[in-house]
Structures are given as C-alpha cells and as structure tokens.
Amino acid sequence: MPTSLVEFLTRGVGTGQNWGMSDSEVTFIDVFELPDSAIDGVVESWRARGRHLRQFPGFRDERLHRTVRPDIRFPLITIAHWDSPELLEAARSTTGWVAADEGIPSDARAGAAAYRTVLDYGPPSERETEGPGVTFVNVFEIAPDIVTEFAEGWAERARMMQVAKGFRAVRLHRALSDQARFQLVNVARWDSLEAWQEAAGNSAMRTATAAARTHAAPNTGIYQVAVEFA
C-alpha cells in the first residue's frame, strides 16, 4: 500500500494499483442528462443493449441506476465493471456495441469514461445488510490538477460516513483520461434513503461538504437499480 494518499493517487491511476479491485479492472460510468419524459424509453433501450454486453470478453457486470427524485440533473447513471481498459475499449469499438446504442439519443449523454477506484471504504466492521438499499452518486466537475488535493478531503468525509447508521460502502473513482468531463465520481451504498438523509444532515458532514464545493462542482442524486446484468 502506498505510504501516503498523494503517492497512492499518483501511482493508482498510472499503474492500476488500487484498493478493493484487481490491478487491471476498470469501471465504466455513463452519465445521462435528459427530460423525465424520455427516461422510460432510455431504460428500455438499455435493457435491450445490456443483453449484448455479455458476449464481450472482459465484461463483468453492469447496473443502470435511476433516480428516486424527479429534480435530479442526471436521472440515469450506468456503472459497469470490466477486466481491463483494453477489453472495454475493444468492446466499445465493435459494431455490436454501436448498434445496441442506437436507441439511446446521443445528446442525452452528459459524459462517459473509464475510471479506476482510487479509494474504497466499507463499514468499520462486518454487518448484515437486508434489502437492495439505495445508491448515492456524486459526479464531480473538477480540474485534473486539483484532484489529489480534493481526494484528501474526500477521504476525511468518507471516514465520517463509515460510522453512520445504515452505511454500507463507498468508492471514489478517478477518470483514466484528463479529458473526461467528470474527473471524479463518488458511489456510496446505504441501507435506505432515510439513513443517507440522516448522515448527510450531520453538522460535521454539512461543514465538510460545503468546504468541498469550493474546489469542485458536485452533481448529487439518490438512485435505485433499474436494470442489472451480470
């Protein structure tokens, strides 16, 4: 394990060294910005598309997350895992992938990129969890040159979340490319919407979150899994 967070972030993106994942595994995150009237159609197109993914070498799993609230900027977010960046890019370049995407309006995509998990936190002790829970996703618009500084503060907030009732796990993903619109994506799992709301309302968490907004533009939402392929 790297001796410091700065060293880890520097090495992790370049060499694939990270916590909680294999050395080569990547996460593909696809973010959608579209009106409420178009959501159901995209979900059905994605359901048909997902059936094609299983044929590609390196595919592990994919989940399409749908917001539980109507006022979220990005109502749909896909999170998929692949064995390596090379296998992901090979799949994305095939006619099968392109054809499966045809039912999804191109202007609905706010950003799609490959990511490494650079920080991975679970609860401080093993505990039983029941039900599917909810997923909190925070998509950050942030300059690449301040990612490391921002991630240090994020780690402090993650440690606060660890001790909150109903917390399951959280991962911070960093884009492999500096050209990606969203350089960092935070994905957290909670027992319920109420558990997340209670934790987010904690005064220390509110203070830490407000401080983070001076470095990055967050786009937050609570989601449930709408389509799943594994």
Side-chain angles (χ1 to χ4, degrees):
M1 183 180 298
T3 56
S4 71
L5 178 60
V6 172
E7 179 188 357
F8 173 70
L9 287 167
T10 303
R11 294 171 55 194
V13 173
T15 67
Q17 297 180 14
N18 46 63
W19 302 340
M21 297 176 66
S22 68
D23 287 348
S24 60
E25 181 181 335
V26 293
T27 301
F28 179 66
I29 300 177
D30 207 349
V31 180
F32 295 90
E33 185 172 16
L34 68 169
D36 291 347
S37 59
I39 292 177
D40 287 340
V42 171
V43 169
E44 289 310 307
S45 295
W46 204 266
R47 194 185 307 277
R49 174 189 178 278
R51 299 187 184 99
H52 294 272
L53 292 177
R54 293 171 174 167
Q55 68 180 308
F56 296 124
F59 172 75
R60 294 192 177 186
D61 59 66
E62 179 183 59
R63 294 172 180 83
L64 176 63
H65 298 78
R66 181 172 182 168
T67 180
V68 301
R69 294 170 53 186
D71 58 341
I72 298 301
R73 182 181 181 186
F74 302 129
L76 295 174
I77 295 179
T78 296
I79 302 174
H81 299 101
W82 290 77
D83 285 348
S84 71
E86 295 78 17
L87 290 172
L88 168 61
E89 289 308 310
R92 293 181 71 187
S93 65
T94 62
T95 56
W97 182 296
V98 174
D101 270 358
E102 288 180 350
I104 301 172
S106 59
D107 59 355
R109 280 199 164 94
Y115 294 79
R116 295 279 194 206
T117 295
V118 292
L119 292 172
D120 189 351
Y121 288 83
S125 60
E126 292 297 326
R127 66 181 182 85
E128 294 294 329
T129 58
E130 296 182 359
V134 296
T135 301
F136 170 78
V137 182
N138 199 344
V139 179
F140 293 103
E141 296 177 269
I142 182 173
D145 58 351
I146 63 171
V147 163
T148 297
E149 176 187 353
F150 181 84
E152 291 177 321
W154 183 93
E156 291 299 322
R157 294 190 294 278
R159 285 190 279 272
M160 292 182 196
M161 286 188 282
Q162 275 190 302
V163 298
K165 182 179 179 181
F167 172 78
R168 294 186 179 182
V170 62
R171 281 181 172 180
L172 183 65
H173 302 80
R174 182 175 184 176
L176 271 61
S177 170
D178 287 346
Q179 302 305 309
R181 177 182 177 184
F182 307 117
Q183 286 294 304
L184 293 173
V185 179
N186 167 33
V187 180
R189 298 280 297 150
W190 292 84
D191 284 351
S192 65
L193 174 61
E194 293 74 20
W196 172 79
Q197 289 174 327
E198 182 176 348
N202 176 278
S203 59
M205 181 61 72
R206 289 201 307 269
T207 299
T209 300
R213 290 178 182 272
T214 64
H215 299 284
N219 298 279
T220 63
I222 291 288
Y223 300 80
Q224 291 179 330
V225 175
V227 182
E228 182 174 1
F229 293 95

